[in-house]
């Protein structure tokens, strides 16, 4: 029996690890009870080793496992480990009166998982940027950005929108291909240089490259990103395409002349292109099957633009515009009415214009 003061006013109250205040005499009584019942709380010598070993083993497992897991599974894994360790610590305390610190190892494990999850996130972001960059080589970079922000756009269907559509083609490509029949790789290199030149001009003026068809290119403006002056931009791109093709021809002529060995020099190919541009309302969106589709446009203005490109050769004009496009740009660009004709596949005649 211990006799002492327990009145709050005497201030013999002490804080305990359980978060409560106890009278000093009551704390003494607790100590005496632990001695008499042999239930003293023990902090064994190996406790620190157990805690450090737990941190080491769990840390190595986390380092190996987290990069392979998704964020949700990594969170579940970390929570499971912390709950298991805290439960083991509580069991040791409840059954054997052993004090194995549950706080520091748990805090270390949680911190480690947060760090690893952060590195996972940064690595995934880097991969996403790399994929977005690679995907941007196949479709419009604007379309890639839009799909990244709005993935629900990856469904079949389209919307009606006014577009300006451009088709370009190489004049005399069959003869060029024939000259490379012994060297198909050389033809590939030539076309890659040529198509790069055209692509740069289209993208510079905010166009979307729809597809490459051998030596031909199809592009359109005002989708997926709205572009107010789409007709003017398409014409500016076409004019720069001609300029860049001329520069490419000059560079290849200079390189050809610099080759001293006539056998290595081979044949010089000068590339000439024809371009057709038309504007009008089309359906633009994802077209194809449930398994494979392209972001493209459909409509009568598209067909007419393709037919106008084919008329550039007989009329001797590099760029031919449909009357809708010419109406948009005639106040700002040099256009000339050429003829009024009924193109193949259409019943209504079309007034066509040259762009200079």
């Amino acid at each position: 029996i211990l006799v002492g003061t327990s009145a709050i006013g005497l201030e013999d109250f002490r804080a305990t690890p359980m978060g409560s205040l106890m009278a000093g005499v009551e704390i003494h009584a607790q100590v005496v009870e632990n001695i008499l019942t042999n239930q003293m709380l023990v902090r064994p010598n190996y406790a620190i080793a157990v805690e450090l070993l737990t941190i080491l083993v769990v840390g190595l497992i986390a380092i190996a496992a987290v990069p392979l897991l998704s964020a949700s599974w990594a969170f579940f894994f970390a929570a499971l480990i912390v709950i298991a360790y805290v439960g083991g610590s509580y069991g040791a305390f409840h059954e054997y009166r052993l004090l194995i610190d549950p706080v520091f190892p748990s805090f270390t494990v949680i911190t480690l998982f947060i760090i690893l999850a952060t590195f996972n996130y940064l690595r995934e972001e880097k991969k996403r940027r790399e994929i977005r960059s690679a995907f941007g080589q196949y479709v419009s970079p604007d379309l890639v950005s839009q799909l990244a922000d709005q993935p629900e756009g990856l469904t079949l269907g389209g919307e009606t929108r006014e577009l300006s559509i451009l088709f370009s083609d190489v004049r005399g490509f069959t003869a060029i291909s024939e000259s490379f029949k012994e060297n198909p790789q050389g033809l590939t290199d030539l076309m890659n240089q040529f198509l790069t030149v055209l692509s740069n001009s289209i993208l510079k003026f905010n166009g979307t490259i729809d597809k490459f068809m051998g030596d031909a290119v199809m592009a359109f403006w005002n989708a997926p990103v709205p572009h107010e002056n789409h007709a003017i931009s398409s014409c500016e791109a076409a004019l720069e395409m001609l300029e860049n093709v001329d520069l490419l021809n000059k560079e290849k002529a200079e390189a050809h002349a610099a080759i001293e060995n006539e056998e290595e020099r081979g044949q010089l190919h000068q590339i000439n292109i024809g371009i057709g541009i038309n504007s009008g309302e089309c359906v633009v969106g994802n077209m194809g099957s449930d398994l494979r589709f392209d972001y493209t446009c459909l409509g009568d203005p598209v067909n007419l633009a393709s037919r106008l490109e084919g008329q550039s050769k007989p009329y001797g004009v590099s760029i031919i515009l449909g009357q809708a496009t010419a109406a948009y740009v005639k106040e700002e660009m040099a256009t000339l009415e050429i003829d009024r004709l009924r193109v193949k596949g259409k019943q209504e005649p079309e007034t066509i214009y040259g762009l200079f």
Side-chain angles (χ1 to χ4, degrees):
I1 298 173
L2 282 77
V3 178
T5 60
S6 59
I8 295 178
L10 297 176
E11 298 184 356
D12 186 21
F13 274 73
R14 300 289 179 259
T16 70
M18 303 303 292
S20 60
L21 294 176
M22 295 179 65
V25 66
E26 188 177 356
I27 295 176
H28 292 165
Q30 293 278 4
V31 173
V32 171
E33 181 194 23
N34 289 340
I35 294 173
L36 293 176
T37 59
N38 195 26
Q39 290 185 338
M40 296 295 293
L41 182 62
V42 178
R43 171 73 170 168
N45 294 332
Y46 57 80
I48 294 179
V50 170
E51 295 158 8
L52 294 178
L53 184 62
T54 300
I55 293 173
L56 178 63
V57 172
V58 173
L60 292 175
I61 294 175
I63 291 172
V66 171
L68 305 176
L69 300 174
S70 64
S72 57
W73 278 107
F75 174 79
F76 175 77
F77 186 46
L80 187 64
I81 290 176
V82 170
I83 291 172
Y85 180 76
V86 172
S89 177
Y90 176 77
F93 167 77
H94 188 267
E95 298 294 331
Y96 306 105
R97 299 297 187 269
L98 298 178
L99 179 57
I100 306 296
D101 181 18
V103 177
F104 181 70
S106 298
F107 175 78
T108 305
V109 169
I110 293 172
T111 303
L112 179 61
F113 270 88
I114 290 174
I115 293 173
L116 291 173
T118 302
F119 276 109
N120 255 7
Y121 174 79
L122 295 176
R123 185 173 63 251
E124 290 300 321
E125 277 292 302
K126 181 180 178 182
K127 286 183 178 179
R128 191 175 289 110
R129 287 194 299 269
E130 291 174 351
I131 292 172
R132 188 178 299 179
S133 175
F135 193 41
Q137 305 298 317
Y138 295 91
V139 297
S140 166
D142 293 328
L143 176 59
V144 177
S145 299
Q146 187 183 69
L147 292 177
D149 296 334
Q150 300 174 341
E152 63 274 10
L154 281 172
T155 56
L156 288 175
E159 60 176 318
T160 301
R161 187 180 291 190
E162 187 174 51
L163 304 179
S164 289
I165 308 100
L166 177 149
F167 281 84
S168 75
D169 195 11
V170 175
R171 297 284 165 257
F173 181 69
T174 302
I176 295 175
S177 299
E178 186 178 12
S179 66
F180 280 96
K181 62 182 178 181
E182 303 296 333
N183 181 23
Q185 188 61 48
L187 179 62
T188 302
D189 294 339
L190 176 64
M191 284 297 100
N192 286 342
Q193 293 178 37
F194 163 70
L195 294 175
T196 297
V197 165
L198 300 190
S199 301
N200 290 340
S201 299
I202 294 169
L203 296 177
K204 176 181 176 180
F205 291 97
N206 304 311
T208 298
I209 298 174
D210 186 304
K211 59 179 68 73
F212 296 106
M213 300 161 285
D215 60 315
V217 180
M218 174 184 171
F220 53 83
W221 279 256
N222 201 33
V225 178
H227 186 57
E228 183 177 357
N229 298 319
H230 53 88
I232 292 177
S233 292
S234 65
C235 292
E236 290 175 336
L239 291 170
E240 185 169 292
M241 288 164 69
L242 293 181
E243 293 179 7
N244 290 339
V245 168
D246 287 341
L247 290 175
L248 178 64
N249 285 332
K250 291 178 181 178
E251 291 174 2
K252 296 190 72 64
E254 292 173 358
H256 184 268
I259 299 175
E260 297 181 357
N261 190 328
E262 291 188 4
E263 293 183 0
E264 296 180 358
R265 185 181 298 175
Q267 184 178 352
L268 175 63
H269 297 283
Q270 292 289 302
I271 297 177
N272 296 305
I273 63 173
I275 298 173
I277 303 175
N278 190 42
S279 302
E281 285 197 347
C282 308
V283 175
V284 59
N286 297 317
M287 315 288 180
S289 70
D290 292 336
L291 300 178
R292 173 71 185 270
F293 49 79
D294 291 325
Y295 186 82
T296 187
C297 56
L298 297 174
D300 183 65
V302 181
N303 300 330
L304 180 57
S306 176
R307 296 286 186 262
L308 294 180
E309 179 275 317
Q311 295 298 321
S312 62
K313 184 175 182 180
Y315 283 99
V317 178
S318 297
I319 305 173
I320 289 187
L321 308 180
Q323 58 190 30
T325 306
Y328 277 117
V329 305
K330 64 182 180 180
E331 299 298 330
E332 299 187 33
M333 312 195 81
T335 61
L336 178 66
E337 182 177 337
I338 298 176
D339 202 351
R340 184 168 175 81
L341 54 84
R342 184 183 293 113
V343 298
K344 183 179 179 181
K346 286 181 63 67
Q347 296 299 320
E348 294 296 324
E350 178 83 8
T351 302
I352 63 173
Y353 296 76
L355 177 68
F356 301 93

